């Protein structure tokens, strides 16, 4: 708002709430309180420095001590720069204390006995009527980061793996230094009970604003001698949403790989080709991103190579604020049919690959596809949805309790403002009727329930006909993009819940109706 707009609004509200305009003792008292609030607001917003503090910190900033030592010559931009500098320093302090843990737990399940068993071989074996499902492999990895300075970070990681009773593990320490805005380098030291010591060097460098290169050199020591390895990746932005990658790997499993990845708001597409020893393949994958609240994604891929052919399809969905659940069906020759279930919880990943059969059995494909869907929708309806609803209710109840006294005060102020507006509204309506202008017939603000699926929820609205009519000027009503709970004569009837404004108005003798979201700008009459 410009200074002229502030002055105009201040004058209008002063005329509305001035104590001398009201003879009734009770209205006079209420007018004095609201008049003082308007005066305080104008004092803050008319001063460039206090307005800048309010814009950045809100009301708390005005109550903070120490602002008197700030030079009065500072502009709003300088105050904002100072605030952003303090924010950066605080983030750096937080960074030094952060460990950023990441982990993966993978449990491989062998369920081939469900589909591949032959009954005639098990007829004489006791307990053979029950298929045997067993865990045949596990993998656990974890890493933590420890910032040493603003440019140096230590990364400690470890992993344990076991398969069919045999396994091992390793531990790695990496030291990363950011050398400039264009690159960083990393030294890695590792040791394990299967491969022996490992020494590695990784370098990342931005060659141009649209191109970067990563090189990873490693020396693996074992009983067979030293095995060197080198991996280089060159990447380039082909356009705003597309990246191209060229990878060359020499040493263990040498290969050349090229891929193109296109990622947009609604889709993710990848095409890749690799020539190598022992694996060469071509791969195409596509993922569609639905723009819904649960961030649902459906994906499919085809991979053809010397090892055979694999077709994968699946979906993933957000089930809570920090959790994403996904399932993928893999059908391949000669791999068979597998079901892969993955749960991402914050920075932790839980992965459960279930091998169903070594053959291409339609029954295995059917159950791998339909089974997870049935289980998910049953769990979502019977467990997840009620739990999230109860959690939301608890949070709302907690929020209502913490803001109850403040909301009560706002309600009293709004009711007082409505009483003080009555005379002004009567004059505005008379003027609008004379010119066949804008007359607010009815207006409600709060939570509306129009959907049949939410019919059990309670409607929570307040009548704001008078406050809205009071805002009409020259047969126009203009509301900006901000919560309407802060308008004169308004208050929040349902803290923490979605709110709307519904207006029934008359213009040029014709009735109209409009519905507006809480933070949506509104201008009536519509053009």
């Amino acid at each position: 708002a410009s200074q002229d707009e502030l002055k105009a609004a201040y004058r209008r509200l002063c005329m509305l709430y001035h104590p001398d305009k009201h003879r009734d003792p009770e209205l006079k008292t209420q007018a004095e309180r609201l008049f003082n609030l308007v005066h305080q607001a104008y004092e803050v917003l008319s001063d460039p420095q206090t307005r800048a503090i309010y814009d950045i910190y809100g009301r708390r900033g005005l109550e903070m001590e120490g602002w008197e030592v700030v030079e009065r010559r500072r502009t709003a931009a300088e105050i904002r720069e100072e605030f952003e500098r303090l924010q950066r320093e605080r983030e750096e302090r937080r960074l030094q204390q952060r460990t950023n843990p990441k982990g993966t737990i993978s449990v491989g399940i062998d369920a081939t006995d469900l589909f591949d068993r032959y009954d005639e071989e098990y007829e004489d074996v006791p307990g053979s009527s029950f298929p045997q499902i067993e865990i045949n492999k596990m993998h656990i990895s974890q890493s933590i980061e420890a910032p040493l300075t603003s440019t140096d970070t230590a990364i400690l990681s470890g992993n344990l793996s076991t398969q069919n009773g045999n396994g091992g593990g390793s531990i790695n320490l990496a030291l990363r230094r950011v050398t400039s805005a264009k690159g960083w380098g990393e030294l890695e030291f590792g040791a394990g009970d299967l491969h022996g010591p490992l020494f590695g060097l990784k370098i990342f460098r931005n060659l141009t604003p649209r191109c970067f290169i990563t090189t990873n050199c490693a020396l693996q020591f074992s009983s067979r001698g030293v095995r060197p390895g080198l991996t280089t990746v060159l990447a380039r932005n082909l356009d705003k949403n597309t990246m191209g990658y060229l990878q060359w790997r020499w040493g263990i499993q040498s290969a050349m790989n090229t891929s193109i990845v296109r990622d947009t708001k609604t889709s993710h597409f990848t095409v890749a080709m690799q020539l190598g020893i022992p694996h060469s393949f071509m791969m195409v994958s596509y993922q569609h991103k639905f723009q819904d609240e649960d961030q649902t994604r459906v994906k499919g891929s085809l991979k053809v190579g010397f090892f055979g052919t694999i077709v994968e399809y699946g979906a993933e969905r957000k089930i809570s604020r920090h959790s994403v659940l996904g399932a993928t069906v893999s059908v391949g020759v000669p791999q068979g049919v597998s079901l892969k279930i993955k749960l991402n919880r914050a920075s932790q990943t839980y992965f459960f690959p279930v091998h169903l059969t070594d053959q291409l059995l339609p029954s295995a494909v059917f159950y791998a596809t339909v089974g997870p869907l049935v289980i998910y929708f049953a769990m979502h309806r019977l467990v997840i949805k009620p739990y999230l609803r109860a959690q939301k209710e608890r949070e709302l109840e907690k929020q209502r309790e913490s803001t109850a006294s403040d909301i009560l005060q706002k309600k009293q102020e709004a009711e007082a403002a409505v009483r003080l507006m009555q005379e002004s509204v009567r004059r505005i309506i008379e003027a609008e009727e004379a010119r066949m202008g804008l007359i607010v017939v009815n207006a409600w603000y709060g939570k509306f329930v129009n959907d049949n699926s939410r019919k059990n929820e309670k409607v929570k609205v307040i009548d704001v006909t008078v406050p809205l009519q009071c805002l009409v000027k020259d047969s126009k009503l203009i509301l900006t993009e901000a919560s309407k709970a802060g308008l004169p004569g308004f208050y929040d009837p349902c803290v923490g819940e979605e709110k709307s404004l519904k207006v029934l108005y008359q213009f040029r003798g014709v009735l109209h109706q409009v519905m507006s979201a809480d933070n949506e700008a509104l201008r009536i009459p519509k053009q």
Side-chain angles (χ1 to χ4, degrees):
S2 65
Q3 286 296 323
D4 291 339
E5 289 172 321
L6 284 173
K7 288 177 182 177
Y10 177 57
R11 282 196 297 269
R12 182 174 58 81
L13 290 173
C14 281
M15 290 177 64
L16 187 65
Y17 296 144
H18 201 287
D20 294 344
K21 294 177 70 67
H22 304 278
R23 296 179 181 178
D24 184 279
E26 185 181 349
L27 289 179
K28 197 177 185 72
T29 304
Q30 293 168 351
E32 285 176 355
R33 187 170 72 252
L34 292 172
F35 183 80
N36 289 333
L37 285 174
V38 171
H39 183 65
Q40 290 170 14
Y42 181 68
E43 280 188 333
V44 170
L45 299 176
S46 59
D47 184 306
Q49 189 196 30
T50 54
R51 180 174 177 173
I53 293 169
Y54 179 77
D55 284 345
I56 297 167
Y57 293 97
R59 188 174 291 183
R60 287 184 179 180
L62 302 173
E63 297 168 356
M64 284 173 59
E65 296 181 1
W67 285 113
E68 57 273 9
V69 301
V70 177
E71 293 180 34
R72 300 295 293 184
R73 293 190 300 274
R74 281 195 173 187
T75 64
E78 288 172 336
I79 293 174
R80 189 178 296 277
E81 287 174 3
E82 177 72 4
F83 173 72
E84 289 172 351
R85 185 185 66 80
L86 294 172
Q87 282 282 81
R88 285 195 298 270
E89 289 180 359
R90 186 173 66 176
E91 288 301 322
E92 287 176 2
R93 288 195 297 270
R94 285 181 179 176
L95 185 68
Q96 291 171 5
Q97 299 169 355
R98 191 180 65 190
T99 57
N100 192 25
K102 295 178 182 177
T104 300
I105 297 177
S106 177
V107 180
I109 301 171
D110 184 358
T112 54
D113 204 31
L114 288 170
F115 297 96
D116 290 348
R117 66 188 309 205
Y118 298 95
D119 292 338
E120 61 269 15
E121 297 179 7
Y122 289 87
E123 285 178 355
D124 300 328
V125 180
S128 63
S129 59
F130 297 99
Q132 293 184 355
I133 299 174
E134 56 186 26
I135 295 173
N136 60 356
K137 57 184 176 181
M138 291 185 67
H139 176 80
I140 299 173
S141 64
Q142 188 75 23
S143 70
I144 56 172
E145 295 181 6
L148 306 176
T149 66
S150 59
T151 58
D152 297 336
T153 304
I155 304 165
L156 183 66
S157 61
N159 67 78
L160 292 169
S161 299
T162 177
Q163 184 169 359
N164 296 325
N166 298 315
S170 64
I171 187 167
N172 293 64
L173 174 65
L175 299 173
R176 180 184 297 167
R177 164 165 286 188
V178 179
T179 54
S180 68
K182 292 186 175 181
W184 49 264
E186 185 176 290
L187 281 173
E188 183 180 7
F189 309 93
D193 57 353
L194 295 179
H195 300 294
L198 168 74
F199 295 97
L201 172 65
K202 190 173 183 179
I203 298 172
F204 171 87
R205 181 76 178 177
N206 277 314
L207 303 179
T208 68
R210 299 179 61 185
C211 182
F212 69 84
I213 188 170
T214 303
T215 301
N216 189 4
C217 310
L219 291 175
Q220 180 74 64
F221 295 86
S222 66
S223 57
R224 299 179 182 178
V226 181
R227 299 200 300 182
L230 175 66
T231 302
T232 300
V233 178
L234 178 66
R236 179 178 173 81
N237 276 96
L238 303 179
D239 63 31
K240 183 181 177 182
N241 299 307
T242 308
M243 287 289 294
Y245 297 92
L246 293 172
Q247 184 186 74
W248 178 61
R249 188 167 63 242
W250 171 79
I252 306 168
Q253 295 187 347
S254 298
M256 292 175 61
N257 182 297
T258 180
S259 59
I260 295 175
V261 179
R262 180 169 177 79
D263 191 13
T264 65
K265 190 177 180 181
T266 58
S267 65
H268 183 93
F269 176 76
T270 303
V271 57
M273 182 176 69
Q274 176 174 303
L275 298 174
I277 303 172
H279 295 306
S280 295
F281 64 84
M282 285 190 66
M283 189 268 290
V284 177
S285 71
Y286 177 79
Q287 182 182 86
H288 184 75
K289 306 173 187 176
F290 292 92
Q291 303 302 305
D292 59 351
E293 187 179 350
D294 296 322
Q295 299 177 11
T296 306
R297 299 184 178 191
V298 177
K299 54 188 176 182
S301 68
L302 172 65
K303 195 172 183 181
V304 180
F306 292 165
F307 52 81
T309 302
I310 298 177
V311 176
E312 290 189 343
Y313 58 90
E316 66 178 40
R317 198 175 197 185
K318 192 174 182 180
I319 58 173
S320 71
R321 185 178 177 186
H322 301 291
S323 301
V324 177
L325 180 64
T328 303
V329 179
S330 177
V331 182
V333 179
Q335 290 82 2
V337 181
S338 297
L339 172 65
K340 302 172 184 177
I341 299 171
K342 185 168 72 170
L343 174 66
N344 287 327
R345 173 73 179 171
S347 58
Q348 302 294 314
T349 301
Y350 304 91
F351 186 54
F352 302 93
V354 184
H355 188 49
L356 298 176
T357 174
D358 294 321
Q359 307 173 57
L360 288 181
L361 297 179
S363 58
V365 176
F366 174 79
Y367 285 112
T369 304
V370 176
L373 288 174
V374 172
I375 293 172
Y376 169 76
F377 284 113
M379 290 286 291
H380 188 265
R381 188 171 186 84
L382 300 176
V383 180
I384 298 173
K385 212 170 179 180
Y387 170 76
L388 293 177
R389 193 185 299 119
Q391 188 181 42
K392 187 178 179 181
E393 281 297 324
R394 285 195 299 270
E395 290 175 355
L396 285 175
E397 192 59 36
K398 196 173 180 181
Q399 193 175 356
R400 289 189 198 106
E401 289 175 1
S402 63
T403 60
S405 58
D406 187 44
I407 292 298
L408 180 62
Q409 182 183 347
K410 295 286 184 187
K411 181 181 178 181
Q412 291 171 350
E413 289 177 1
E415 290 172 348
V418 169
R419 286 194 291 270
L420 296 170
M421 291 174 182
Q422 297 290 346
E423 184 61 31
S424 296
V425 166
R426 186 183 61 77
R427 290 196 300 269
I428 292 172
I429 290 175
E430 287 177 355
E432 292 296 325
E433 284 178 342
R435 66 173 76 154
M436 293 283 288
L438 177 60
I439 298 173
V440 179
V441 179
N442 275 309
W444 302 271
Y445 172 69
K447 177 185 174 183
F448 295 86
V449 179
N450 300 320
D451 192 351
N452 288 332
S453 63
R454 299 165 57 197
K455 60 185 177 183
N456 294 327
E457 297 183 26
K458 188 179 178 182
V459 176
K460 302 172 186 175
V461 296
I462 56 173
D463 190 325
V464 290
T465 308
V466 172
L468 274 190
Q469 186 68 65
C470 196
L471 293 172
V472 172
K473 185 179 180 182
D474 298 330
S475 299
K476 293 177 185 175
L477 175 63
I478 301 172
L479 303 180
T480 57
E481 292 180 357
S483 175
K484 296 167 180 62
L487 293 172
F490 282 64
Y491 68 93
D492 193 340
C494 44
V495 176
E497 298 184 68
E498 190 176 327
K499 292 173 281 291
S500 301
L501 175 66
K502 186 176 183 180
V503 185
L504 181 66
Y505 66 93
Q506 184 176 307
F507 184 70
R508 299 283 187 260
V510 180
L511 278 175
H512 302 273
Q513 181 175 288
V514 66
M515 193 94 166
S516 169
D518 188 27
N519 289 292
E520 184 183 354
L522 176 66
R523 182 188 179 99
I524 55 177
K526 297 285 187 181
Q527 298 301 312

